[in-house]
Structures are given as structure tokens and as C-alpha cells.
């Protein structure tokens, strides 16, 4: 079957075309001799390269790893929302089998979160008994994943009693050695970080991406921007900080910090964007957040003050290029989403894909 795409086909920040075709699962901008404008082969509207959820956890639920059937449902929920590329930001489940499923989104795995005992969520991460084990563990996770490693840079330290608060997990020298190990193995490193105290060591180590980065000060923002390091804002997750603070009332210092980070979340995202930091779109689905929420996360970023055009670009072609994935180029796999309105003008349009095309097949949406 030949699919005829008509309307506004967005290739990147600079290029749009009025029509394209899908032949043999691939994009072409030259009308094929076999193409016919039969109604059942035409997809019309605003066409974007498949969406990207750059912080997602397929194979993970609130209490730890899930079975393959549940992971499949998670991946299908993401796919049906228009997400056709997932960077899995840490999962205790082995989801390598997703690569063999043509009906599921393309997946870039980061292996397991690397953490310390009692310094992260139970059953989520790989807990290292000694900080000195981090470089070797990074090397192992780099070999298991798809070019990414995920570190937990900070978490609450309950051993501080009433003064319990966010504290870094790793000494700066060990962190630098670990990032160097990943880079030597050809992998990039991202880090969960809520705390201000973790950021300088992460930046000094040459981290490739930051998840949340809620503790960033103006000086940190300048450093992040100068280094060109993207930040995944995860505003759906940060929106839960007030509830997390209430649950952590035994630790008043921690609770106060989480409330302050919650209150500052929109201002921080604006400051990052205004400084030129690439703000990525990631739902943090798979823990306490349901899959398929990319439109909700995008709407939160617009609410924070980032223009819809930049949010949509970050949820599609810009992040695809950063991850080394194909966009809508001649001969590329036809991974695309069709909308009935332009989401660059109205971010709410992202919530209603007219058609989702993966590997050249219409897999979801309303035609």
C-alpha cells in the first residue's frame, strides 16, 4: 500500500513540504508511479516526525519491574499517543525484546539506574555497596544498554534523622571516573538530580544530559547553557513534589526543599529556555505516572512559558537528531504522526493524533 501524505509536512525547523508518500515503509518526496489518490490511502493534516519521550520507563511500575505483558501495554500507550521513539531512562526489567517488535516504538535503553542502598526507590535501581564500584558498574550498564547509562546523583539521606535532606550519592572524583568509563565505551550518561549540591560535580564530570535539574541556580544554568547540555524538565513529575513533601513530613528540611522546588518549577524552566538550554520533553512515565502522557507534558512546558513551536520541536525532530534517530528524510523509515491542527500553534492539538504511522504502517489514530 502507498500512503499519500498531504497538507503541511514538517521536516525540521527550516523545511516544510506539501506532500510526500510512504512506499515500502519509507518516506519519499517523489510521486511513485503506482500512487493513486484513493481516499483510503490519503492522510491529510499537519505531519510531524514521530514524537519522542526522552524520559520514560518501559518495564517499570511504582513498585518495581513488571512482566513483559504489562511492559507491552505501556509501550502501546506511548505509541498510540504518537511517541514512536523512547529513550528509556532506566528500568530494572530487561526490555531488549521490544527491539524485535515492529508494532512497538523504537527504544533506546539506559540499563538500570545506578544508586546506593537505601538511597533511591526500592526495587528500581542497581544498588552498589561501595561508591568505588560505580565506574565498573557504568561500564557494565553501557554494555547492556543502547548507548546510555543512568545515574542517580542525589536522593534523601534518612540517616541524617530530623535533618534528612537531599544529598549527593557519589564523590566528585568517582563520578568523573564513571562518566569517563561510559564515554570510553561509546555511551552517554544522564543523571537524576533534584539537589543543588550535585550539579557542579556532574558538570565537572562531563555529564551528557540532566534529568529534572530542579536545584539549578543561575550560575548552574549559565554553566549548563555554555556546555550545551540538555535538561529534561519532567514537569508532570515535579508537579508531584507537594505531595512528596507531605509524605516526607518526618523530614522537615527535605519537605521544605521539595515545596520550594515545586513552587519554582515553572520559573526554572523559563530560565533554562531563555538561557539557551535545550529543554527536552519527557513524561517520567512508568513509576507513578501513566504512559501515553506526552501531550500533557508538552502542555506543562507551554504553561511554564516555552513557546509551543519550541516544545513541539523538542518533542519531535530536534530530539530525534540529538539522539541520532532518523527524521522525515528521503528513504527514512516512515515514523510519523498526523494531526488535524498545527500543534506548533496550539499545543492542545498534540493530544489528538489523526493518524500514527510506524515503520510505514498506520497503527493508531483517527483517519
Amino acid at each position: 500500500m502507498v500512503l499519500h501524505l498531504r497538507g503541511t509536512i514538517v521536516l525540521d525547523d527550516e523545511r516544510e513540504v506539501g506532500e510526500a508518500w510512504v512506499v515500502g515503509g519509507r518516506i519519499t518526496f517523489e510521486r511513485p508511479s503506482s500512487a493513486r489518490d484513493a481516499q483510503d490511502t490519503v492522510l491529510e493534516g499537519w505531519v510531524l516526525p514521530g514524537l519522542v519521550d526522552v524520559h520514560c520507563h518501559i518495564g517499570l511500575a511504582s513498585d518495581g519491574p513488571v512482566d513483559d505483558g504489562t511492559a507491552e501495554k505501556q509501550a502501546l500507550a506511548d505509541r498510540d499517543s504518537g511517541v514512536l521513539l523512547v529513550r528509556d531512562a532506566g528500568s530494572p526489567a530487561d526490555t531488549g525484546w521490544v527491539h524485535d517488535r515492529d508494532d512497538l516504538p523504537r527504544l533506546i535503553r539506559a540499563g538500570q539506574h545506578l544508586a546506593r542502598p537505601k538511597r533511591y526507590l526500592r526495587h528500581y535501581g542497581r544498588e552498589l555497596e561501595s561508591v568505588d564500584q560505580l565506574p565498573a558498574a557504568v561500564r557494565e550498564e553501557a554494555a547492556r544498554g543502547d548507548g546510555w547509562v543512568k545515574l542517580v546523583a542525589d536522593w534523601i539521606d534518612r540517616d541524617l534523622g530530623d535533618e534528612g535532606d537531599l544529598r549527593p550519592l557519589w564523590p566528585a572524583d568517582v563520578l568523573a571516573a564513571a562518566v569517563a568509563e561510559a564515554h570510553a565505551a561509546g555511551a552517554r550518561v544522564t543523571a537524576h538530580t533534584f539537589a543543588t549540591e550535585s550539579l557542579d560535580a556532574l558538570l565537572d564530570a562531563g555529564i551528557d544530559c540532566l534529568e529534572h535539574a530542579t536545584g539549578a541556580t543561575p550560575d548552574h544554568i549559565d554553566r549548563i547553557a555554555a556546555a550545551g547540555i540538555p535538561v529534561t524538565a519532567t514537569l508532570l513529575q515535579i508537579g508531584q513534589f507537594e505531595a512528596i513533601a507531605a509524605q516526607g513530613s518526618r523530614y522537615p528540611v527535605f519537605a521544605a526543599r521539595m515545596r520550594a522546588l515545586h513552587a519554582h518549577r515553572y520559573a526554572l524552566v523559563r530560565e533554562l529556555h531563555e538561557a539557551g538550554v535545550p529543554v527536552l520533553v519527557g513524561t517520567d512515565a512508568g513509576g507513578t505516572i501513566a504512559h501515553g502522557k506526552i501531550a500533557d507534558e508538552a502542555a506543562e512546558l507551554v504553561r511554564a512559558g516555552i513557546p509551543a513551536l519550541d516544545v513541539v520541536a523538542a518533542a519531535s525532530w530536534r530530539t530525534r537528531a540529538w539522539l541520532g534517530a532518523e527524521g522525515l528524510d528521503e528513504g527514512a523509515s516512515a515514523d510519523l504522526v498526523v494531526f488535524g491542527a498545527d500543534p506548533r500553534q496550539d499545543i492542545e492539538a498534540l493530544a489528538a493524533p489523526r493518524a500514527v504511522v510506524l515503520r510505514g504502517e498506520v497503527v493508531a489514530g483517527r483517519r
Side-chain angles (χ1 to χ4, degrees):
M1 183 178 68
V2 173
L3 292 178
H4 186 185
L5 308 174
R6 294 195 309 211
T8 301
I9 301 160
V10 181
L11 308 182
D12 54 32
D13 286 304
E14 304 296 334
R15 299 178 299 154
E16 296 178 359
V17 296
E19 61 182 346
W21 290 264
V22 177
V23 181
R26 299 195 171 274
I27 287 287
T28 181
F29 301 106
E30 297 183 7
R31 180 188 293 271
S33 58
S34 60
R36 299 186 303 273
D37 285 349
Q39 189 62 36
D40 64 353
T41 67
V42 175
L43 297 176
E44 190 161 8
W46 281 261
V47 181
L48 304 183
L51 303 183
V52 183
D53 190 338
V54 79
H55 187 129
C56 189
H57 303 282
I58 292 174
L60 178 67
S62 59
D63 55 354
V66 300
D67 59 63
D68 289 354
T70 302
E72 177 188 40
K73 291 177 182 177
Q74 294 174 338
L76 288 171
D78 293 323
R79 182 201 72 181
D80 292 354
S81 73
V83 169
L84 303 182
L85 176 62
V86 169
R87 186 190 64 168
D88 190 286
S91 175
D94 181 359
T95 54
W97 56 270
V98 172
H99 294 318
D100 299 325
R101 290 279 299 272
D102 287 346
D103 61 328
L104 297 182
R106 300 179 192 276
L107 181 63
I108 299 172
R109 298 169 300 135
Q112 284 191 270
H113 308 73
L114 293 174
R116 298 292 315 286
K118 300 182 180 179
R119 296 296 306 279
Y120 195 49
L121 295 163
R122 292 183 63 192
H123 311 304
Y124 275 38
R126 176 180 170 185
E127 298 180 348
L128 306 182
E129 292 295 330
S130 167
V131 297
D132 295 335
Q133 295 174 319
L134 183 64
V138 163
R139 186 167 58 249
E140 292 165 0
E141 294 302 324
R144 292 172 182 154
D146 300 319
W148 280 90
V149 176
K150 172 72 174 290
L151 306 180
V152 178
D154 51 69
W155 197 253
I156 185 173
D157 187 347
R158 295 177 177 85
D159 290 342
L160 299 175
D162 291 345
E163 296 298 311
D165 196 7
L166 296 172
R167 291 289 185 271
L169 271 66
W170 317 103
D173 60 337
V174 172
L175 195 59
V179 173
E181 284 285 351
H183 290 170
R188 291 187 273 184
V189 184
T190 194
H192 160 103
T193 173
F194 291 159
T196 300
E197 296 89 333
S198 301
L199 286 166
D200 281 319
L202 289 169
L203 295 171
D204 290 345
I207 198 77
D208 299 288
C209 188
L210 294 167
E211 311 303 311
H212 321 297
T214 50
T217 66
D219 286 345
H220 288 131
I221 293 172
D222 288 344
R223 288 194 67 189
I224 294 166
I229 297 170
V231 172
T232 314
T234 64
L235 282 174
L236 292 177
Q237 181 62 262
I238 311 311
Q240 300 186 128
F241 275 17
E242 183 66 39
I244 293 171
Q247 295 169 359
S249 58
R250 289 176 52 200
Y251 305 97
V253 178
F254 167 76
R257 189 197 297 231
M258 297 302 279
R259 288 192 171 98
L261 296 177
H262 178 267
H264 185 57
R265 67 194 188 281
Y266 291 148
L268 173 64
V269 167
R270 283 196 303 276
E271 291 161 8
L272 288 165
H273 175 72
E274 289 168 1
V277 174
V279 178
L280 306 182
V281 186
T283 63
D284 207 355
T288 58
I289 295 172
H291 286 258
K293 297 291 186 181
I294 193 74
D296 294 340
E297 180 67 27
E300 278 287 280
L301 290 166
V302 172
R303 190 171 295 118
I306 300 182
L309 169 60
D310 289 314
V311 173
V312 172
S316 181
W317 59 89
R318 288 184 193 166
T319 301
R320 282 182 163 271
W322 178 68
L323 289 170
E326 290 182 319
L328 296 183
D329 297 310
E330 181 70 34
S333 177
D335 295 357
L336 57 95
V337 192
V338 184
F339 297 95
D342 189 350
R344 299 171 299 174
Q345 300 297 321
D346 179 7
I347 200 66
E348 298 299 326
L350 275 186
R354 178 174 286 177
V356 179
V357 178
L358 175 61
R359 299 178 174 92
E361 297 290 333
V362 180
V363 293
R366 300 176 290 104
R367 291 178 60 187

